[in-house]
Amino acid sequence: MANVSRTKKPLKVKYNFGIVLLGVIIIFGVVFYRYMKNTTLEEVLSEDREIYVPSFASLLGNDDEEEENAVVNSDLDSESEDSEPSEIINPVPESEAVSSDYLDSCVFIGDSITYGLSSYGLVSSSSVYASVSMSIAKIETEEIETQYGTMTVIEALKESKPENIYVMLGTNGAAWLSVDDMYSYFTSFMKKLMNACPDSEIYIISVPPVTSDKEASLETPILNSDLDSFNELLLEYANEKSIHYLDINSYLKDGGSSLPSSYAENDGVHLKYSTYELFIDYILTHVAD
């Protein structure tokens, strides 16, 4: 009888879906039980507790991975804290008066109002980057006389790198420029200033008010309402850029809606010597921490 060679067929493994599903449920139940055993409901719902969802490996007892994740999370938290800007309080609140020697560490930038600080001898001329003809529209291009020679304000700042910078611009320009135009000129200049002096403490000084007679003037009137609108934009800008803001405008109004005539020269715009003394007192009693 001839031998007949028979090829064995491979065995087929039959899966029972119900058994597999039951196994998955049991494993999930064990993992969930281990997690809940170490976490109380009060801890999960606590408002002061951050909810931590552990990895699958940590639930199964892989402590090394859990510690590694904790280190990574700690580093991320540290980077987040370091990236937060320092808190600025604006307008800068009143503080204990500093010595007048503080002015030696400052540079004052502006137009004819700022120029009065040096012309009256209250601040050294080397610390005042301003001129009678300066305006907010020309602050980037007009050259001034400095201890470094004739140059623009930005060029002078690059030379001096002052510790503190005070900027007050807008009076020369408010009679013919719109509030939006003044703000555009101002922010363009500030961007260049901050790039030139990244380590300096910067203060924006609000534009001073004018007298009611100047508002009613038939020739080049200036409206306090426009100055107020411009100053509001400056405050918003200062908060956005974390720059200090001094509200000299409200201070010089002395509780009113305009500059008292006793504070002003005959033109209703420029300040008397006694008013500049008030101005300096305000600077020295509003230095940020």
Side-chain angles (χ1 to χ4, degrees):
M1 185 175 184
N3 292 330
V4 179
S5 176
R6 296 182 178 180
T7 303
K8 295 183 179 180
K9 296 181 179 181
L11 297 176
K12 294 183 179 181
V13 179
K14 295 183 179 180
Y15 292 94
N16 189 310
F17 180 78
I19 294 176
V20 173
L21 179 60
L22 179 61
V24 171
I25 293 174
I26 291 174
I27 293 174
F28 179 82
V30 172
V31 171
F32 184 76
Y33 172 77
R34 290 193 59 185
Y35 171 63
M36 293 304 295
K37 183 178 180 181
N38 296 317
T39 306
T40 65
L41 182 60
E42 289 78 12
E43 290 175 323
V44 174
L45 298 180
S46 172
E47 292 181 356
D48 297 329
R49 173 186 173 92
E50 294 184 0
I51 298 178
Y52 165 63
V53 180
S55 65
F56 186 80
S58 66
L59 290 175
L60 293 178
N62 192 339
D63 294 334
D64 291 339
E65 180 176 326
E66 187 172 358
E67 292 178 0
E68 181 179 348
N69 288 337
V71 172
V72 172
N73 291 334
S74 176
D75 292 340
L76 290 176
D77 290 340
S78 177
E79 291 177 4
S80 177
E81 291 177 0
D82 292 340
S83 63
E84 292 180 359
S86 58
E87 184 179 357
I88 296 291
I89 301 176
N90 282 325
V92 175
E94 184 175 2
S95 57
E96 184 177 351
V98 299
S99 168
S100 59
D101 293 340
Y102 169 79
L103 299 175
D104 296 334
S105 68
C106 304
V107 160
F108 294 86
I109 298 171
D111 47 37
S112 58
I113 303 293
T114 302
Y115 184 75
L117 291 171
S118 59
S119 63
Y120 277 123
L122 295 168
V123 176
S124 170
S125 59
S126 62
S127 299
V128 177
Y129 295 174
S131 68
V132 173
S133 62
M134 183 65 74
S135 74
I136 194 170
K138 299 188 295 183
I139 188 63
E140 291 185 30
T141 57
E142 183 170 310
E143 294 185 335
I144 58 173
E145 295 296 328
T146 74
Q147 59 182 318
Y148 310 103
T150 302
M151 59 185 64
T152 65
V153 171
I154 294 298
E155 290 171 339
L157 288 173
K158 290 179 179 179
E159 293 287 342
S160 59
K161 299 289 185 182
E163 183 178 345
N164 303 290
I165 301 174
Y166 288 82
V167 183
M168 186 173 67
L169 286 164
T171 299
N172 288 2
W176 62 86
L177 293 172
S178 69
V179 171
D180 289 340
D181 286 340
M182 289 199 299
Y183 183 71
S184 178
Y185 284 122
F186 187 92
T187 53
S188 175
F189 171 72
M190 289 299 298
K191 182 178 180 180
K192 293 178 173 59
L193 184 154
M194 289 185 285
N195 287 335
C197 302
D199 299 323
S200 300
E201 286 288 335
I202 302 172
Y203 291 79
I204 294 175
I205 306 177
S206 61
V207 180
V210 297
T211 64
S212 56
D213 286 343
K214 181 59 179 178
E215 287 190 287
S217 172
L218 297 179
E219 296 181 4
T220 61
I222 297 177
L223 301 180
N224 280 306
S225 58
D226 288 342
L227 298 180
D228 291 343
S229 296
F230 180 59
N231 287 329
E232 287 176 4
L233 291 177
L234 297 187
L235 175 57
E236 292 177 5
Y237 181 81
N239 288 331
E240 177 186 339
K241 300 299 182 181
S242 294
I243 297 173
H244 306 299
Y245 176 87
L246 296 180
D247 189 12
I248 194 71
N249 180 284
S250 298
Y251 177 68
L252 292 181
K253 283 180 180 177
D254 198 21
S257 59
S258 59
L259 182 68
S261 57
S262 60
Y263 285 8
E265 298 290 358
N266 292 333
D267 62 4
V269 176
H270 292 89
L271 309 177
K272 291 183 176 181
Y273 176 80
S274 57
T275 309
Y276 275 109
E277 289 183 313
L278 294 176
F279 187 104
I280 291 297
D281 286 342
Y282 188 89
I283 295 293
L284 297 179
T285 56
H286 291 77
V287 177
D289 295 333

